Amino acid sequence: MTEPVQSTPVPIEALADKGPLEPPRSQWKDVWDQFRKHKGAMFGGGFLLFITLAVLLGPWIWQVDPQKLDIRGKDMRPIWTALWDSNAKVGWHRPFGTDQLGRDQLAQILSGGRASMAVGWAAMILSLLIGTMVGVLAGFTRKLDGPLMRLTDLFLSLPILPLLLVAVTLFRQPLREAFGPEGGMFFLIVGIIAITSWMPTARIVRGDILALKEREFILAARSIGTTPFRIVQRHLLPNVLSPIMVSATLGLATAIITESALSFLGVGFPSDFPTWGKMLADAVQRMEQFPERVILPGIAISLTVLSVNYLGDGLRDALDPRIRGR
Amino acid sequence: MLTFAIRRLVLAIPTLLFISFVIFMLLQLAPGDPMAQVPLTVPPEVKEKMRQALGVGEPALVQYWKWLVQVFWLEPKVFIDYLTNSSTLLGWLPDTNLYNDELRVISWQTRSPVMDIVIQRIPQTLWVVGMSYIVGILIALPIGIYSAYRQYSIFDQSGTFITMIGFSVPPFFTGPLLIVIFSVQLGWFPSIYDTTHVVNDWASLKVQFNQMILPVMVLALQTTAQISRYMRASMLDNLNQDYVRTARAKGLSEAVVVAVHVLRNSMIPVITVIALGVPAIFGGAIITENVFKVNGIGQLLITALFANDLPMVMTLTFIFAVLIVVFNLIADILYGLLDPRIRYD
């Protein structure tokens, strides 16, 4: 006689689940887990957040007018100079010292950072928009592909820094009259950096779109009557998000450096409007007596760009599904 | 390969024409007037004649055409005349007298031909920029090779960190920083590059060497950072290939495997990157020249911009564009020559 079959079969022990099933994980949770493993990226992201908050909220906490002249309190050294030089002219009310006109350096760094970061973010976003638009148009529509890519090649062979210098010196006057000295310069610098830096994004996006649009899910979307615009918006753009994010970090870093370089060469914002590059340029003449005036804004620029670059490195690793999970 | 090179060369001409047209039209919008410095007592009709003499009175397209003729037809003539008349290399050839006093591209600042000034300035830029590029490459290659070979070692980690810093710290900060450290505090090197310095014996060569160190270091830091990253990535790609295992399996020493098999293959993309980086380093040298007061072409561009010297700005920007197009071409052709897997036709 055969053994009676049990009504509820006992599962094989080795195949039994130990503990409850993990809830399904979203893509972004995976990305975040991978990102957290990259120490440099975590540090970079943290520092970028810190400096963004500092320049945004700092002027409310450190309520000193960066433009206020204080001739009696000019040429003060930063507070830490007192550690090795007891005769130095320092004071707790001017922790980073003052410049040759008695303007508070801490307040200047904060408001200069505001200008530099604003230019960097705005130029990066604008160049991403242009780059993504050109890339999507070139990759998705066959007719525009040739002309748009030739245009990209042309822009890539333009000498960027000389052209930037030319454009800024030429259009400074008309834009200043139209939008005021600071606003005009802001639009000019942001616009010019964006116009000269969208090409890498466009190339990457086009390449990815070309590969993606032959895939089955696009065919499926098309077969249920999705309009081309919806296909781009719903199916293509989310899939090219990761290369766009990586080139965004690179764009932010170059935009900040370019703005500072322009200010350093003396074609940036007006002279009473502090930016990091401008503070550095103004301090170079007297850097033998007051090296900190060169070093403080220089460190601010360098650390910001360094943290953005590390952030980009970590993002690239975290967004690449072949590396993720290893 | 030859047809590809010729096709690319032919295609480069419309590209350059278009770029020069864009730059020219951009400069046409410039608000500056070359007659701004002329006294107000000069009557307007005389001013008009002076404008005509500078070539500004014509319509923009005519001006552009004249500029093209001057740059592509007259300047080569002048150059050939120079070669056959006074250069040591080709001076034995019979004198050619192709150029007979047509109007060349004239700088509004000095009223002398733009090309003459550019030729005077180019050696300074080439010395500093070229030397820094070579130094940068020589430092970058071993760093890249070794840090890929010992991936994730302490050397690799610190190398990656240093290249990241070289990437992020702009030359207008490293320049002043090095000046503060090495010429103010330590007093080892001069902070200003003296271009009038003549090298004729050992002592003056040493002075020349000393004054070149700081600008070369600033520019080389950037080059090193970029190229060693590429070198490392390219070595890493190749080190995991099957042919490396084969080479090891047949008993080749580690030195031969790395230095011959892997290195040769990973140099292919790196060499194209080196070629592509040349124009960028010329552009970046604008800032370094400004910091160390090297009167090269970058500094010439800045002063011309501030002095509203449009012919000079136009010609210099065009030279930068030519550099980019030419080195892109060189990179493409090198890639095809070095990598037998690449077939352009």
Side-chain angles (χ1 to χ4, degrees):
Chain A
M1 288 293 280
T2 51
E3 278 182 44
V5 179
Q6 280 179 318
S7 54
T8 50
V10 179
I12 305 165
E13 202 182 337
L15 292 181
D17 293 322
K18 299 187 182 68
L21 281 172
E22 276 184 48
R25 297 164 58 80
S26 77
Q27 181 198 0
W28 295 108
K29 186 100 182 13
D30 274 357
V31 169
W32 171 242
D33 281 353
Q34 176 69 34
F35 183 76
R36 253 191 346 202
K37 281 185 198 149
H38 198 301
K39 280 200 199 91
M42 282 306 282
F43 165 77
F47 186 80
L48 187 66
L49 201 66
F50 165 73
I51 203 113
T52 314
L53 285 180
V55 299
L56 279 182
L57 305 177
W60 272 292
I61 298 165
W62 185 255
Q63 287 176 328
V64 178
D65 181 7
Q67 300 300 343
K68 189 171 182 302
L69 306 184
D70 175 15
I71 291 299
R72 283 173 208 283
K74 70 172 184 178
D75 288 339
M76 283 175 81
R77 309 300 300 269
I79 189 73
W80 54 83
T81 323
L83 287 178
W84 61 84
D85 182 6
S86 52
N87 294 328
K89 189 176 164 189
V90 294
W92 279 107
H93 63 296
R94 298 273 185 265
F96 281 17
T98 54
D99 66 1
Q100 73 273 20
L101 294 173
R103 291 176 293 192
D104 185 61
Q105 287 284 295
L106 178 57
Q108 285 224 329
I109 289 256
L110 289 178
S111 79
R114 224 178 214 201
S116 296
M117 297 292 273
V119 169
W121 279 98
M124 182 267 279
I125 289 171
L126 194 59
S127 93
L128 274 193
L129 282 181
I130 301 176
T132 312
M133 213 160 72
V134 172
V136 166
L137 277 180
F140 197 68
T141 56
R142 194 165 295 163
K143 265 184 204 156
L144 286 176
D145 188 14
L148 280 179
M149 279 302 111
R150 290 293 81 72
L151 185 76
T152 314
D153 287 347
L154 271 179
F155 266 85
L156 274 172
S157 38
L158 288 176
I160 299 297
L161 193 58
L163 262 194
L164 275 172
L165 289 171
V166 170
V168 171
T169 19
L170 297 190
F171 299 118
R172 191 173 355 192
Q173 223 50 47
L175 273 169
R176 266 191 189 184
E177 279 153 21
F179 299 102
E182 282 113 36
M185 259 345 255
F186 182 79
F187 284 123
L188 180 58
I189 292 183
V190 165
I192 285 176
I193 294 179
I195 287 172
T196 49
S197 64
W198 54 268
M199 294 82 74
T201 320
R203 279 194 160 177
I204 297 168
V205 169
R206 171 189 172 258
D208 277 15
I209 294 257
L210 276 183
L212 278 173
K213 74 172 185 183
E214 304 300 329
R215 299 266 289 272
E216 283 81 3
F217 68 94
I218 300 295
L219 187 67
R222 186 163 294 163
S223 66
I224 58 170
T226 318
T227 56
F229 181 74
R230 291 292 287 183
I231 291 183
V232 169
Q233 181 202 10
R234 190 90 186 87
H235 300 278
L236 289 176
L237 277 185
N239 279 306
V240 292
L241 198 62
S242 42
I244 292 180
M245 275 166 73
V246 173
S247 66
T249 57
L250 283 178
L252 182 58
T254 29
I256 291 176
I257 287 206
T258 314
E259 185 275 320
S260 309
L262 288 179
S263 295
F264 181 79
L265 292 173
V267 294
F269 283 96
S271 50
D272 57 342
F273 187 76
T275 71
W276 286 339
K278 184 125 214 68
M279 292 174 68
L280 212 164
D282 289 346
V284 161
Q285 283 96 13
R286 303 181 71 197
M287 65 185 166
E288 291 157 34
Q289 295 99 358
F290 305 101
E292 70 271 3
R293 286 187 207 156
V294 175
I295 290 170
L296 283 176
I299 284 182
I301 298 171
S302 310
L303 273 185
T304 310
V305 174
L306 186 69
S307 65
V308 172
N309 277 339
Y310 263 119
L311 185 69
D313 238 28
L315 268 185
R316 188 180 0 233
D317 286 358
L319 291 169
D320 189 345
R322 282 167 304 181
I323 300 178
R324 209 188 300 150
R326 267 203 269 147
Chain B
M1 192 64 227
L2 190 68
T3 47
F4 169 76
I6 292 172
R7 203 173 62 220
R8 280 297 309 267
L9 209 60
V10 171
L11 220 102
I13 294 170
T15 312
L16 280 176
L17 280 180
F18 182 79
I19 291 175
S20 66
F21 186 70
V22 168
I23 303 172
F24 193 87
M25 285 302 144
L26 197 66
L27 289 178
Q28 282 299 308
L29 300 171
D33 180 8
M35 293 292 109
Q37 306 258 318
V38 175
L40 290 172
T41 46
V42 175
E45 61 267 19
V46 180
K47 266 193 186 171
E48 196 50 44
K49 277 192 178 158
M50 290 167 81
R51 238 185 226 114
Q52 290 284 347
L54 283 174
V56 210
E58 309 278 350
L61 281 176
V62 177
Q63 282 187 47
Y64 176 61
W65 172 250
K66 287 195 165 171
W67 181 84
L68 279 184
V69 170
Q70 284 169 336
V71 167
F72 288 104
W73 186 239
L74 289 179
E75 294 298 338
K77 276 189 186 176
V78 175
F79 187 63
I80 291 170
D81 279 356
Y82 161 77
L83 279 183
T84 52
N85 285 339
S86 37
S87 73
T88 45
L89 190 66
L90 293 169
W92 49 272
L93 285 170
D95 284 3
T96 49
N97 284 312
L98 298 172
Y99 171 71
N100 29 28
D101 288 337
E102 293 100 336
L103 189 65
R104 295 170 70 187
V105 190
I106 297 292
S107 156
W108 290 351
Q109 280 177 100
T110 59
R111 310 283 146 120
S112 63
V114 166
M115 276 299 169
D116 289 358
I117 307 174
V118 172
I119 296 283
Q120 284 167 13
R121 299 296 188 94
I122 275 182
Q124 283 86 287
T125 301
L126 273 186
W127 260 108
V128 175
V129 173
M131 190 58 80
S132 71
Y133 208 50
I134 293 168
V135 169
I137 292 168
L138 288 183
I139 299 174
L141 293 187
I143 291 182
I145 294 168
Y146 194 73
S147 54
Y149 187 64
R150 295 242 178 274
Q151 198 189 3
Y152 301 131
S153 66
I154 294 174
F155 181 86
D156 181 30
Q157 303 277 7
S158 50
T160 315
F161 182 66
I162 291 172
T163 52
M164 212 45 156
I165 289 183
F167 242 52
S168 313
V169 183
F172 51 84
F173 180 44
T174 38
L177 199 65
L178 288 184
I179 290 180
V180 166
I181 296 173
F182 288 106
S183 45
V184 178
Q185 304 287 342
L186 299 172
W188 290 353
F189 311 118
S191 69
I192 289 177
Y193 185 93
D194 176 13
T195 39
T196 55
H197 180 70
V198 183
V199 178
N200 45 18
D201 54 1
W202 278 111
S204 60
L205 184 71
K206 194 163 164 280
V207 172
Q208 170 74 9
F209 187 69
N210 265 346
Q211 69 176 352
M212 274 177 64
I213 285 184
L214 285 186
V216 166
M217 256 162 72
V218 169
L219 281 172
L221 179 67
Q222 304 231 308
T223 318
T224 311
Q226 286 171 7
I227 292 177
S228 72
R229 271 174 81 107
Y230 274 108
M231 190 73 226
R232 176 175 178 271
S234 166
M235 285 288 283
L236 280 180
D237 275 354
N238 276 296
L239 274 170
N240 295 326
Q241 300 270 328
D242 289 340
Y243 73 85
V244 181
R245 196 178 305 127
T246 313
R248 283 190 178 130
K250 68 184 185 185
L252 292 180
S253 70
E254 218 33 29
V256 174
V257 171
V258 174
V260 179
H261 286 69
V262 181
L263 182 61
R264 276 181 56 153
N265 280 300
S266 15
M267 279 306 282
I268 297 170
V270 175
I271 283 181
T272 58
V273 167
I274 290 176
L276 284 178
V278 174
I281 195 97
F282 269 95
I286 294 178
I287 292 166
T288 318
E289 282 181 2
N290 203 39
V291 171
F292 291 99
K293 313 281 185 285
V294 183
N295 60 347
I297 47 174
Q299 199 255 357
L300 186 63
L301 177 71
I302 302 254
T303 44
L305 264 175
F306 288 149
N308 221 329
D309 182 0
L310 297 188
M312 178 79 86
V313 173
M314 171 79 207
T315 313
L316 278 175
T317 322
F318 184 65
I319 290 176
F320 281 115
V322 171
L323 278 177
I324 294 179
V325 171
V326 166
F327 277 96
N328 276 348
L329 188 68
I330 291 177
D332 272 5
I333 293 174
L334 269 183
Y335 202 53
L337 282 179
L338 293 175
D339 193 342
R341 287 167 300 185
I342 304 285
R343 280 282 155 264
Y344 285 117
D345 0 75

